[in-house]
Amino acid sequence: MAVAKMLDPIIPGLAPGSSEDATSQLPALDAMRRLGWTYLGPAEVDRLRGGRRSEVVLKEVLRAQLAKLNRFEYREREHAFTEGAIEDALQELAGMPDEGLVRTNERVWELLRLGKSIPQTVDGDRRSYSVKYVDWEHPENNLFHVTEELEVEAAGSTETRRPDLIGFVNGIPFMVIECKPASLPGGKVPVEEAISQHLRNQGASEIPRLYHFAQLLLGLALNEAKYGATGTPLRFWHVWREEEDAEEALARLVAPCPPAELAPFAEAFRWTRLQVVREANLAAYSAAVGSGREVTEQDGLLHALCRPERLLEMVRRYTVFDGGERKIARYQQYFAVRHAIERMR
């Protein structure tokens, strides 16, 4: 039985398919956990960003990762960067000035890919060395966190917006995900509504700062799922079709899960004003996944693009900026390039 059908009757007062938390958001959160992302409750994320709702970078995490990932060699000896150098690198990224939505996103992308040159002095000899923000070659050296319903302060306002899911890589918000229930009233297309939410949030008076850092955007609606990038118009969001055999991996993604494994999610369900409904959603979802669930389109997209190694590959090697637009490869282009490289080898 599909998870959506199992959940809807359990939430009193909700029409079938109307529970966004239970039918899309919680399955997505659970899938990311199984793909290797560590869950952080909103309270912990707030602590890591110093309680500032306008801050979207988890500076405490990034600072520690910069120190961990970076060393430089001088006269055949390895040295750690100074605290001042680490702080300079952090501020270079976190303090990126706003030069417009896509242009700022491009500058962030370039910095993430190329790193920051920082001068260091050893034995009176001053030279510049590169500090990297992401270990592209070894995904396992990076930290991957996911949180939900993070409050982000709108530009020039004390009002906040709450993107459904945010995926952080080394404390940097790499992914923003909007979820919608499997059906909506009035003939609305759920996945298009999820994308429209992204587009609204990118507005100058909304939360563009979050999208300056975002490297991949997803719109999920259980049986529909599309991806795009900062600045991508609605018509250019695409589905993904995996060419590689993913049946076994997807089966693991939806395999039976002991409810105890979902216990950490409960923290997030206590802070919201919708506590009763959301705790019911969590309880219902916990019961549903205890015996497994069906694979959906959003599971396929999450598996294809949110695996740490695939996400880093897409950001680093399959993204271009062209004519003021950010473009991410379609699945046909991605697999064609990989086949061509393999044939050359």
Side-chain angles (χ1 to χ4, degrees):
M1 183 180 294
V3 64
K5 298 299 183 184
M6 298 176 70
L7 296 175
D8 291 329
I10 302 177
I11 313 300
L14 294 182
S18 66
S19 172
E20 174 181 305
D21 295 328
T23 62
S24 180
Q25 188 170 328
L26 270 169
L29 194 59
D30 185 36
M32 290 187 70
R33 178 184 65 83
R34 299 189 195 210
L35 289 170
W37 296 73
T38 299
Y39 175 73
L40 290 179
E44 176 64 8
V45 174
D46 277 342
R47 185 190 69 78
L48 292 171
R49 61 178 179 162
R52 297 178 57 195
R53 294 178 178 177
S54 60
E55 181 62 73
V56 296
V57 176
L58 307 184
K59 290 183 177 179
E60 185 175 326
V61 175
L62 179 56
R63 185 178 290 109
Q65 281 297 99
L66 288 173
K68 172 188 171 183
L69 295 177
N70 291 284
R71 296 289 188 274
F72 66 92
E73 190 173 292
Y74 177 80
R75 294 184 178 178
E76 300 183 352
R77 292 184 60 187
E78 192 176 78
H79 298 265
F81 281 85
T82 64
E83 290 184 6
I86 295 300
E87 199 63 28
D88 287 347
L90 186 151
Q91 293 303 326
E92 181 73 14
L93 179 68
M96 185 72 68
D98 187 348
E99 298 182 10
L101 183 69
V102 179
R103 174 54 185 155
T104 307
N105 185 254
E106 181 178 8
R107 288 197 60 204
V108 168
W109 177 72
E110 290 173 343
L111 187 60
L112 292 176
R113 287 178 66 244
L114 303 176
K116 167 69 175 175
S117 181
I118 301 284
Q120 293 287 269
T121 302
V122 181
D123 297 335
D125 189 0
R126 187 174 177 83
R127 300 182 184 182
S128 290
Y129 301 90
S130 182
V131 172
K132 60 186 177 184
Y133 296 88
V134 178
D135 190 337
W136 301 102
E137 301 293 342
H138 304 95
E140 67 277 6
N141 289 338
N142 302 292
L143 290 180
F144 296 85
H145 292 115
V146 60
T147 193
E148 63 163 348
E149 301 281 344
L150 181 68
E151 289 189 287
V152 181
E153 195 171 88
S157 170
T158 57
E159 295 183 359
T160 59
R161 305 292 179 260
R162 291 178 180 173
D164 289 325
L165 300 176
I166 298 178
F168 295 91
V169 178
N170 296 336
I172 306 161
F174 258 53
M175 294 179 56
V176 184
I177 302 174
E178 289 292 346
C179 304
K180 294 297 176 184
S183 62
L184 292 172
K188 295 179 180 178
V189 180
V191 73
E192 291 186 1
E193 290 299 306
I195 296 168
S196 295
Q197 185 67 61
H198 278 297
L199 299 180
R200 286 193 294 273
N201 282 341
Q202 292 175 47
S205 61
E206 297 296 318
I207 52 173
R209 187 67 175 162
L210 177 63
Y211 291 88
H212 291 165
F213 295 93
Q215 303 301 303
L216 183 67
L217 310 179
L218 302 184
L220 306 179
L222 197 66
N223 296 316
E224 298 178 280
K226 293 185 177 183
Y227 70 101
T230 294
T232 302
L234 174 62
R235 66 184 183 278
F236 292 127
W237 286 63
H238 294 290
V239 300
W240 184 277
R241 294 289 178 262
E242 191 71 13
E243 287 190 7
E244 301 171 350
D245 183 11
E247 185 174 343
E248 184 177 338
L250 287 172
R252 290 195 300 269
L253 204 62
V254 300
C257 170
E261 289 190 17
L262 298 179
F265 297 169
E267 186 273 340
F269 281 72
R270 287 196 292 267
W271 67 279
T272 174
R273 61 186 176 85
L274 301 176
Q275 177 185 350
V276 174
V277 171
R278 301 199 72 211
E279 285 187 348
N281 287 345
L282 178 62
Y285 184 68
S286 297
V289 299
S291 57
R293 60 181 180 83
E294 295 178 0
V295 174
T296 64
E297 284 292 317
Q298 77 174 38
D299 290 320
L301 186 65
L302 289 166
H303 173 264
L305 298 181
C306 297
R307 284 175 286 158
E309 65 278 9
R310 176 68 69 80
L311 171 64
L312 297 188
E313 184 184 26
M314 293 296 293
V315 172
R316 185 187 187 191
R317 302 189 185 280
Y318 292 90
T319 297
V320 296
F321 284 82
D322 178 37
E325 297 179 351
R326 179 171 186 152
K327 300 177 181 179
I328 300 179
R330 302 182 186 181
Y331 71 92
Q332 301 98 322
Q333 297 166 324
Y334 171 81
F335 288 111
V337 169
R338 292 190 64 181
H339 292 329
I341 293 174
E342 188 60 31
R343 184 167 183 177
M344 291 174 65
R345 285 175 177 168

